[in-house]
């Protein structure tokens, strides 16, 4: 068996383990009692919600002051799971499209929430795309099943919470004065994420470097279009304590990105290029690692599988987020012990969070010992 066949076999075996077994479900409730029999059906509800940004958020392609969102609940036998769909402009989804998709689902046909693959396969087949909408159901189902098991998902997956990495804190593109103010706000964090991809990139980094020497993660958001200039900039960044560069070139520039990766002194990480599980294999040899986001992957089920496959292929992994409440950010944090890097600050960028969930302590992701996603409504 050659290396590629071995990796495929290993990844397939690990992927098959992504949903807890019947034995695990029983043991999670009690090692001595038979699981309680439940009767009922799943009930889905949802409402639009606007996430208000503390600062206007500028990346290479747009500026926004809020992010449209849809809040979701999934109820079964009096227990409620929470989810959400967050929709930055580039996803191509709206509150209207998400609500329309969710309205088309009939989850009352399911009487056993533990049949997660069956339920989420039904949701995935309901319509193409609609990734954030599908993620909202996936998150609510994971929260619900975790509560039924009485365990957080990092424990169900067998992960060690102390292995969760530091999270970066994002500074968007702005004036030097505002950037200096934002650098002050990064005081509780150990890693800074910098948005680049426009004129004045280097000046922005120099402003940050005049105030702090903390490690930087750079996200160009497809803003560089010349591979030679991109390489020159990356070499310059490598001398300024930079960890990696995320999506330096447009996602369509696959050959150019592979050329850049071969020469770059820093790891090149896929973001916009990467959506779902099949994209992980496409990224091999083009990128050094992948940034997984629940709103793109359709939720935790596929994000877990993407992580397993990427690691089997020898790629670096990062867990990221959109502008989100602590619901989706805490869901993503359940996977963080598997990751090389994390960018889970979306809830810290808004003024109207609706949940208490994972915390950042001394810059480090700290997972609550609560069942499901580890969240409680505020």
């Amino acid at each position: 068996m050659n290396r590629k066949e071995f990796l495929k076999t290993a990844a397939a075996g690990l992927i098959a383990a992504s949903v807890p077994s019947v034995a695990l479900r029983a043991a999670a409730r009690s090692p001595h009692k038979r699981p309680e029999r439940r009767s009922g059906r799943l009930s889905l509800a949802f409402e639009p919600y606007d996430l208000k940004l503390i600062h206007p958020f500028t990346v290479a392609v747009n500026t926004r002051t809020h992010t449209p969102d849809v809040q979701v609940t999934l109820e079964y036998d009096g227990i409620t799971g929470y989810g959400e769909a967050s929709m930055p402009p580039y996803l191509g989804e709206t509150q209207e499209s998400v609500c329309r998709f969710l309205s088309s689902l009939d989850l009352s046909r399911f009487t056993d929430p533990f049949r997660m693959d069956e339920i989420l396969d039904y949701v995935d087949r309901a319509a193409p795309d609609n990734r954030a909408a599908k993620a909202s159901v996936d998150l609510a189902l994971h929260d619900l099943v975790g509560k039924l098991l009485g365990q957080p998902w990092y424990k169900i997956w067998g992960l060690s919470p102390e292995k969760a990495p530091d999270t970066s804190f994002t500074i968007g593109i702005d004036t030097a004065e505002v950037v200096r103010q934002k650098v002050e706000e990064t005081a509780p964090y150990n890693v800074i994420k910098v948005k680049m991809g426009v004129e004045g990139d280097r000046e922005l980094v120099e402003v940050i470097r005049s105030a702090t020497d903390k490690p930087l993660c750079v996200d160009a958001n497809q803003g560089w279009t010349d591979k030679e200039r991109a390489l020159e900039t990356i070499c310059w960044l490598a001398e300024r304590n930079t960890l990696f560069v995320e999506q330096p070139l447009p996602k369509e520039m696959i050959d150019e990105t592979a050329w850049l990766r071969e020469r770059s002194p820093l790891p090149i990480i896929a973001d916009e290029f990467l959506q779902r599980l099949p994209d992980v294999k496409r990224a091999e040899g083009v990128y050094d690692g992948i940034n997984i986001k629940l709103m793109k992957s359709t939720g935790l089920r596929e994000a877990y599988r993407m992580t397993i496959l990427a690691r089997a292929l020898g790629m670096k992994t990062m867990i990221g987020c959109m502008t989100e409440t602590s619901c989706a950010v805490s869901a993503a944090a359940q996977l963080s012990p598997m990751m090389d890097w994390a960018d889970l600050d979306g809830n810290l960028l808004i003024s109207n969070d609706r949940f208490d969930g994972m915390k950042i302590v001394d810059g480090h992701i700290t997972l609550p010992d609560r069942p499901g996603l580890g969240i409680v409504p505020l």
Side-chain angles (χ1 to χ4, degrees), residues 170-358:
T170 303
I171 295 179
I173 299 166
D174 220 313
T175 64
E177 180 180 356
V178 173
V179 168
R180 289 190 188 95
Q181 176 188 343
K182 291 180 178 178
V183 170
E184 292 179 6
E185 295 174 6
T186 68
Y189 307 95
N190 301 321
V191 183
I192 297 173
K193 184 171 184 176
V194 185
K195 294 290 187 178
M196 296 180 68
V198 297
E199 292 296 325
D201 275 346
R202 296 193 183 193
E203 289 80 357
L204 172 63
V205 173
E206 294 289 14
V207 169
I208 295 171
R209 277 287 165 256
S210 69
T212 180
D213 61 355
K214 291 179 180 179
L216 300 180
C217 307
V218 167
D219 185 359
N221 285 116
Q222 307 182 88
W224 301 335
T225 56
D226 184 303
K227 65 181 184 181
E228 300 279 359
R229 289 189 63 184
L231 179 60
E232 180 184 336
T233 301
I234 291 171
C235 291
W236 181 83
L237 288 166
E239 298 175 351
R240 286 157 178 80
N241 195 17
T242 303
L243 300 177
F244 59 81
V245 176
E246 194 176 336
Q247 202 63 57
L249 300 174
K251 61 184 180 181
E252 298 84 6
M253 296 178 66
I254 296 173
D255 291 341
E256 293 86 349
T257 302
W259 178 93
L260 183 63
R261 172 183 173 268
E262 290 175 356
R263 294 160 177 79
S264 172
L266 298 175
I268 304 299
I269 308 302
D271 184 3
E272 284 87 349
F273 176 87
L274 183 92
Q275 309 297 328
R276 302 191 60 176
L277 184 62
D279 298 319
V280 177
K281 192 69 179 68
R282 291 177 55 237
E284 184 187 16
V286 181
Y287 295 87
D288 296 293
I290 60 172
N291 183 0
I292 300 169
K293 296 180 180 178
L294 301 184
M295 296 300 129
K296 296 190 302 178
S297 72
T298 71
L300 281 169
R301 179 180 70 150
E302 192 148 328
Y304 181 87
R305 294 173 174 179
M306 292 169 72
T307 306
I308 295 292
L309 179 56
R311 289 173 58 167
L313 294 171
M315 302 179 74
K316 295 289 188 181
T317 55
M318 174 182 176
I319 187 71
C321 63
M322 312 297 187
T323 310
E324 300 163 351
T325 72
S326 288
C327 174
V329 172
S330 297
Q334 302 293 318
L335 287 165
S336 63
M338 303 175 72
M339 302 294 167
D340 296 289
W341 303 295
D343 179 33
L344 297 182
D345 63 347
N347 57 327
L348 305 174
L349 305 178
I350 63 173
S351 61
N352 59 336
D353 200 351
R354 299 182 75 175
F355 298 92
D356 179 78
M358 77 91 165

Side-chain angles (χ1 to χ4, degrees), residues 94-240:
T94 64
Q95 288 173 327
E96 291 74 20
S97 70
V98 169
C99 291
R100 184 167 57 249
F101 175 83
L102 296 176
S103 296
S104 73
L105 301 177
D106 178 19
L107 297 186
S108 66
R109 62 193 286 180
F110 298 102
T111 59
D112 183 356
F114 289 105
R115 297 187 178 186
M116 298 179 72
D117 273 342
E118 184 179 336
I119 295 166
L120 294 176
D121 284 345
Y122 160 76
V123 172
D124 200 16
R125 292 193 303 267
D129 299 323
N130 291 283
R131 294 187 302 274
K134 293 172 181 178
S136 70
V137 180
D138 171 283
L139 267 57
L141 182 61
H142 276 82
D143 193 33
L144 173 64
V145 169
K147 288 173 177 175
L148 292 170
L149 290 169
Q151 299 292 340
W153 272 92
Y154 70 84
K155 287 188 177 181
I156 296 169
W157 283 323
L159 304 178
S160 303
E162 64 272 10
K163 292 184 178 179
D166 290 343
T167 183
S168 56
F169 186 85
T170 303
I171 295 179
I173 299 166
D174 220 313
T175 64
E177 180 180 356
V178 173
V179 168
R180 289 190 188 95
Q181 176 188 343
K182 291 180 178 178
V183 170
E184 292 179 6
E185 295 174 6
T186 68
Y189 307 95
N190 301 321
V191 183
I192 297 173
K193 184 171 184 176
V194 185
K195 294 290 187 178
M196 296 180 68
V198 297
E199 292 296 325
D201 275 346
R202 296 193 183 193
E203 289 80 357
L204 172 63
V205 173
E206 294 289 14
V207 169
I208 295 171
R209 277 287 165 256
S210 69
T212 180
D213 61 355
K214 291 179 180 179
L216 300 180
C217 307
V218 167
D219 185 359
N221 285 116
Q222 307 182 88
W224 301 335
T225 56
D226 184 303
K227 65 181 184 181
E228 300 279 359
R229 289 189 63 184
L231 179 60
E232 180 184 336
T233 301
I234 291 171
C235 291
W236 181 83
L237 288 166
E239 298 175 351
R240 286 157 178 80

